[in-house]
Structures are given as structure tokens and as C-alpha cells.
Amino acid sequence: MFVLKLSYMKKILFLVSLVSVLSNSVSQTTHTVNSGSYYYNPSSLSINLGDSVIWINDGGFHDVNGDTNSITGTSFGNPESFSSSPTNSVGVTIYTHQFDISGEYLYDCSVGSHAVQGMVGSI
């Protein structure tokens, strides 16, 4: 009888672990930021740990730079750095990043004077 109870408890623990893993992966969200003529929309975004952000190019030549502030030349001081190559293809994904380290992230477009013109964002 003790063996049956132990086997039953192992099954319950397995199911609880499985539900926990599945609920954690299901709760992750992908957010979209549109990028265009001197803008990121939305320019400020609140997300949960583990969520992803996709930047889409609405038009123009843009990148996503979460490393060095293009206006000041200093580090953004983000919990982790990220950056993309610039693209001028309309409707394509400029960059995708999953945020697994909590904190505030700042970024800009490092192409030309886009950041000075207001193409900056925060997460």
C-alpha cells in the first residue's frame, strides 16, 4: 500500500511541475513596435519578464540600438545590450529580442540623426 501511495505522489508532483512549466511558457507575450520616419510606436512599452519585442520597419532606413546612446555616445546601461543591423526593406522585422533579464531598457535608432530627431524608445 505504501508503494502505491508513493507512486501516486510522484504522479501528482509530475503533473504539478508540468502545469507550472506550461503556464509559464503560455504566459509569454510578443509585442510589436513599429518603426518609421523618426519614430518607434509605441515609444514606451511595459512588458513582463520573458516577453519578446519585434520591431517592424514601416519605411526608411532604421536599426534598433540598445547598446550605446547615439546622442551622447555613452552606454545606455541596459541590463543586457542588444542591437540590429539597419534595413530599408518595408514591412520586415528589423529585430526581435526576448527580455529575460528584468530592468529598464533604453534604445534608439543609430542611423544618421534619427535619435536626435526623436527616434528613441524604452522598455
Side-chain angles (χ1 to χ4, degrees):
M1 182 167 230
F2 179 73
V3 173
L4 285 175
K5 287 183 180 180
L6 186 58
S7 173
Y8 182 71
M9 288 183 61
K10 285 182 179 179
K11 287 180 182 177
I12 289 175
L13 286 174
F14 172 75
L15 287 174
V16 167
S17 298
L18 182 63
V19 167
S20 175
V21 167
L22 289 175
S23 67
N24 191 24
S25 65
V26 170
S27 64
Q28 295 173 340
T29 303
T30 300
H31 306 268
T32 300
V33 174
N34 291 82
S35 311
S37 297
Y38 310 117
Y39 68 84
Y40 289 116
N41 185 23
S43 61
S44 180
L45 190 60
S46 294
I47 66 171
N48 293 312
L49 192 62
D51 285 359
S52 295
V53 176
I54 296 175
W55 286 264
I56 303 293
N57 190 7
D58 290 345
F61 192 60
H62 307 292
D63 67 1
V64 178
N65 165 41
D67 186 22
T68 302
N69 185 313
S70 300
I71 299 170
T72 66
T74 60
S75 171
F76 279 119
N78 290 332
E80 67 176 330
S81 296
F82 57 93
S83 63
S84 73
S85 299
T87 183
N88 63 352
S89 298
V90 177
V92 301
T93 298
I94 298 172
Y95 187 64
T96 301
H97 188 80
Q98 182 172 335
F99 290 86
D100 293 323
I101 302 173
S102 64
E104 182 177 0
Y105 291 81
L106 303 174
Y107 63 94
D108 65 23
C109 180
S110 66
V111 174
S113 63
H114 292 191
V116 172
Q117 300 279 340
M119 197 166 182
V120 297
S122 65
I123 298 173

